Each structure stands twice: as structure tokens, then as C-alpha cells.
């Protein structure tokens, strides 16, 4: 049906305070506006940032909070001026549901760097109402921030919308997508395993860098990395010095950068996509002596996110996921805090979110 005039009753699971414990929550979505797409949520990934946000660890948390920004579903209603979508389409929404649409970043399809971006959850719309994410039965989102979900891509591959774009974007932007290049990936979690998959699909040689030798088999046998370095082994690190064109660093814990910078060739690039809570020490001399770069990257714009899911569908790239029911969410979050998942939990919203 086309848009109606009633507020939409929604149901999800929300955190009420910094305990981070989620429980059932009734709330309202806005009326489906003329440019809005309403869709039934089928799957939603559990991102590590959800854990930080529900526990108030980034000191910007708004409660009650319905997390979730890796959302895939099926369109149930469209506004009268929607042009890109039809009822029944499979769609995805990632980390953003709004931006100013007039700054230089927005003009260049970089809504993810707009100073007035509106996050999919724990954000505030311009009318002052809070944004609620994908741990819920329905979403209502401006069509500009919605991507077409390819028919050949399983809907449970929802983590592409955060973990996928967060690693795809820097590989492309920093020119680390050229066949024959040698790329390092630091950390082998939700982000790291996607960085390996995209880098391999681009035709590069991939080395996984980890503090633990226990990850070696999964890096090489399961994910197809070419080699493995234990960052705490000085001999291994010395032998690999000057061998990498670029590194995607996905680690959010405090860790030394000097050993990673030393792995780079001249003109090499160390790109940070993890977000340590405290500043890291940056030694400058090793940068000067090889014209090396340390950079950062955050998610991607909507156009690039569409490009990424299309690339993933074409090359059969999907995250490794453990699908769980909605009532398992607190256990999943507890396990995630202990890194007890390979490599991303996905909530089966469509089949398991019950209002009773």
C-alpha cells in the first residue's frame, strides 16, 4: 500500500540504562512520508559498536535505546514520491538515516562524513525525536539512505552494511585494491574477516597480523589469507619489515603502531578502522623515513555502500555469521564482549521477534 496517515506501532528490544541489558519495548515509528520507505526487518547484525553504545561507553547514549545498524528487510509501504523502490523489494539500511544533503561531503556522496549526519540509532532527527535501530520489527527510512539488496545475496549477510563497507571503503579509497599488492589486516574479528575477503577478491596478497598464533589456521584455511604474522614475535615481524603496501587495522584495543609502520614499504599506508578509546602513541620518524601515511576511515557513503553490496553479490562475498533468535540477544552480546563468535552474530528478526 502507499503511505497512510497513522503513526506506525513498532516493537523491538531496547536497553534502558548503562547495564546494557535489552528487553522488549513498544514504540512508534513516524508516518511514512512522501520520500520514505517502510520495511519489515528480516535480519539485523550485532555490531561491536552496539555493545559500546548500550553500555554508555562512548558517553553519548540516549535511553531507551534500540540498537542495530546492519538491517535487511522487505519493503511493505512507500511514500508517494519514492522513485527507487517498490513494495516487495529487498532492501538494506546501514549506519546512517540522515544528513544535511547540502554540504561538500553530501554533494560528493560522502554522507558518512557530513557534520550533521543522523545515525540509525542513538541519534536525533531534526524534529527532536530519537532514532531507533534494527532490533525491531519495522523501519521507516528516507529512500536516499536505503540500498537495494541484491537477489543473489542472502539476507543474513546484513553485516556487510557496517563491517563490509567499513573495510571495502578504505581499500578502494587508498588504492589498496590493485591486483598483486600485498595487504596486511590487523585483527580477525567482524571487521578483520571482511577485510581479508574483500582484499582477496581484489586480487591482492593478504597477510593477517594478530597477537595470537591460535588464529593462524582460521586466517589461512577458513578465510583464504596467504600468510600470517604473530605481532608479538620480533623475529617474524623483522623478517616481514618493509613488505606491505598497506594495512587495514581493525583493532579497537590500545596497541602499538610502530611495529605496524615498520611492516610498510615506502609510501605505504596504515589505515585505522578500529576505534581505541584512548589516544595511541604515534612515532613520527618512521613516517618521515619512508613517506608513510597513517589514516582513518569510517563506513562509507550510500552510493559506495550500494556499490559494495553489488560487488559482494557478484563475487559471492558474505560475512561468516551465527544466526540467533531475538530472545538470545543478551547472551549474544555477552559472548561478543568475550570475542566468542566467528565472526558476527545476526538476529533472525523476521522469524523470532515475538510481541508476547
Amino acid at each position: 500500500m502507499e503511505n497512510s496517515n497513522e503513526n506506525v506501532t513498532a516493537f523491538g528490544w531496547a536497553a534502558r540504562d548503562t547495564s546494557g541489558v535489552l528487553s522488549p519495548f513498544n514504540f512508534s515509528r513516524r508516518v511514512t512520508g512522501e520520500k520514505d520507505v517502510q520495511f519489515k526487518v528480516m535480519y539485523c547484525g550485532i555490531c561491536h559498536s552496539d555493545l559500546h553504545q548500550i553500555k554508555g561507553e562512548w558517553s553519548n547514549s540516549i535511553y531507551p535505546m534500540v540498537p542495530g545498524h546492519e538491517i535487511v528487510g522487505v519493503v511493505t509501504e512507500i511514500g508517494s514520491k519514492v522513485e527507487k523502490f517498490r513494495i516487495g523489494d529487498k532492501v538494506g539500511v546501514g549506519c546512517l538515516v540522515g544528513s544535511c544533503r547540502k554540504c561538500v561531503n553530501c554533494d560528493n556522496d560522502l554522507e558518512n562524513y557530513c557534520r550533521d549526519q543522523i545515525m540509525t540509532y542513538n541519534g536525533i532527527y531534526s524534529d527532536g525525536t530519537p532514532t531507533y535501530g534494527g532490533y525491531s520489527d519495522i523501519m521507516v527510512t528516507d529512500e536516499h539512505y536505503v540500498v537495494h539488496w541484491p537477489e543473489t545475496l542472502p539476507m543474513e549477510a546484513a553485516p556487510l552494511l557496517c563491517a563490509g563497507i567499513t573495510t571495502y571503503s578504505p581499500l578502494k579509497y587508498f588504492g589498496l585494491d590493485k591486483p598483486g599488492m600485498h595487504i596486511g589486516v590487523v585483527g580477525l574479528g567482524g571487521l578483520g574477516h571482511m577485510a581479508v575477503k574483500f582484499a582477496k577478491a581484489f586480487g591482492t596478497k593478504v597477510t593477517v597480523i594478530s597477537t595470537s598464533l591460535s588464529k593462524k589456521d582460521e586466517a589461512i584455511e577458513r578465510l583464504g589469507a596467504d600468510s600470517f604474522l604473530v605481532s608479538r614475535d620480533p623475529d617474524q615481524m623483522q623478517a616481514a619489515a618493509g613488505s606491505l603496501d598497506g594495512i587495514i587495522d581493525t583493532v579497537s584495543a590500545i596497541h602499538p603502531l610502530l611495529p605496524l609502520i615498520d611492516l610498510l614499504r615506502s609510501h605505504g599506508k596504515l589505515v585505522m578502522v578500529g576505534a581505541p578509546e584512548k589516544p595511541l602513541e604515534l612515532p613520527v620518524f618512521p613516517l618521515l623515513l619512508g613517506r608513510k601515511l597513517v589514516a582513518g576511515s569510517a563506513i562509507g557513503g550510500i552510493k559506495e555502500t550500494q556499490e559494495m553490496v553489488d560487488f559482494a553479490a557478484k563475487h559471492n562475498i558474505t560475512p561468516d555469521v551465527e544466526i540467533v533468535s531475538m530472545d538470545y540477544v543478551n547472551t549474544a552480546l555477552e559472548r561478543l564482549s568475550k570475542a566468542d563468535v566467528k565472526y558476527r552474530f545476526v538476529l533472525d528478526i523476521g522469524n523470532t521477534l515475538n510481541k508476547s
Side-chain angles (χ1 to χ4, degrees), residues 322 328 331-345:
E322 181 178 333
Y328 188 79
T331 305
L333 287 161
E334 179 67 23
R335 284 179 54 195
L336 177 60
S337 71
K338 300 171 182 172
D340 178 23
V341 59
K342 294 204 174 20
Y343 290 92
R344 203 67 144 189
F345 285 113

Side-chain angles (χ1 to χ4, degrees), residues 70 159-168 190-191 193-195 198 344:
E70 301 175 338
L160 286 170
L161 294 164
C162 175
I165 188 62
T166 295
T167 50
Y168 177 94
L191 293 177
H193 93 288
M194 290 310 308
F198 279 124
R344 203 67 144 189

Side-chain angles (χ1 to χ4, degrees), residues 8 16 20 85 97 101 114 116 125 145 150 183 187 189 198 203 244 258 269 302 335:
V8 186
R16 306 313 210 281
F85 300 96
V97 293
R101 306 283 288 275
C114 175
D116 295 321
Y125 285 113
Y145 304 93
I183 306 301
F198 279 124
L244 301 179
L258 179 58
K269 299 163 185 173
I302 306 304
R335 284 179 54 195

Side-chain angles (χ1 to χ4, degrees), residues 43 62 78 85 128 147-148 169 182 227 273 278 306 315 320:
Y43 293 95
I62 306 163
I78 58 172
F85 300 96
V147 297
H148 284 279
S169 183
H182 193 172
S227 53
V273 296
K278 294 179 181 176
Q306 183 68 65
H315 294 273
D320 291 13

Side-chain angles (χ1 to χ4, degrees), residues 10-187:
F11 176 74
W13 281 52
R16 306 313 210 281
D17 53 45
T18 55
S19 71
V21 175
L22 273 66
S23 56
F25 178 58
N26 292 291
F27 62 103
S28 293
R29 296 284 189 195
R30 69 169 180 258
V31 172
T32 304
E34 60 184 18
K35 295 290 284 181
D36 282 340
V37 171
Q38 182 188 131
F39 64 94
K40 173 180 169 60
V41 178
M42 299 305 293
Y43 293 95
C44 183
I46 299 180
C47 178
H48 207 278
S49 60
D50 298 349
L51 203 54
H52 292 293
Q53 298 270 38
I54 60 175
K55 291 180 177 293
E57 291 173 355
W58 291 346
S59 49
N60 64 341
S61 295
I62 306 163
Y63 299 101
M65 182 192 305
V66 179
H69 60 203
E70 301 175 338
I71 313 162
V72 179
V74 178
V75 176
T76 54
E77 185 177 67
I78 58 172
S80 58
K81 294 187 179 178
V82 167
E83 297 173 355
K84 298 192 297 182
F85 300 96
R86 295 291 175 263
I87 291 169
D89 285 356
K90 293 177 182 177
V91 293
V93 167
C95 302
L96 300 175
V97 293
S99 61
C100 78
R101 306 283 288 275
K102 53 183 186 278
C103 68
V104 66
N105 286 319
C106 288
D107 285 347
N108 286 286
D109 300 307
L110 295 169
E111 301 92 343
N112 50 315
Y113 299 122
C114 175
R115 294 173 69 91
D116 295 321
Q117 63 181 248
I118 301 172
M119 307 308 287
T120 300
Y121 73 90
N122 199 42
I124 300 289
Y125 285 113
S126 55
D127 65 1
T129 58
T131 62
Y132 294 122
Y135 293 18
S136 60
D137 55 356
I138 58 166
M139 292 287 294
V140 179
T141 308
D142 184 302
E143 73 166 337
H144 181 81
Y145 304 93
V146 182
V147 297
H148 284 279
W149 194 257
E151 279 297 325
T152 57
L153 203 55
M155 296 177 82
E156 60 266 29
L160 286 170
L161 294 164
C162 175
I165 188 62
T166 295
T167 50
Y168 177 94
S169 183
L171 286 166
K172 294 285 285 187
Y173 177 80
F174 290 102
L176 304 177
D177 59 342
K178 308 296 185 288
M181 279 187 158
H182 193 172
I183 306 301
V185 175
V186 187

Side-chain angles (χ1 to χ4, degrees), residues 166 191 248-253 255 271-277 280 296-297:
T166 295
L191 293 177
I248 303 295
D249 185 346
T250 71
V251 174
S252 292
H255 60 290
V271 187
M272 315 294 291
V273 296
E277 290 177 32
L280 302 182
S297 183

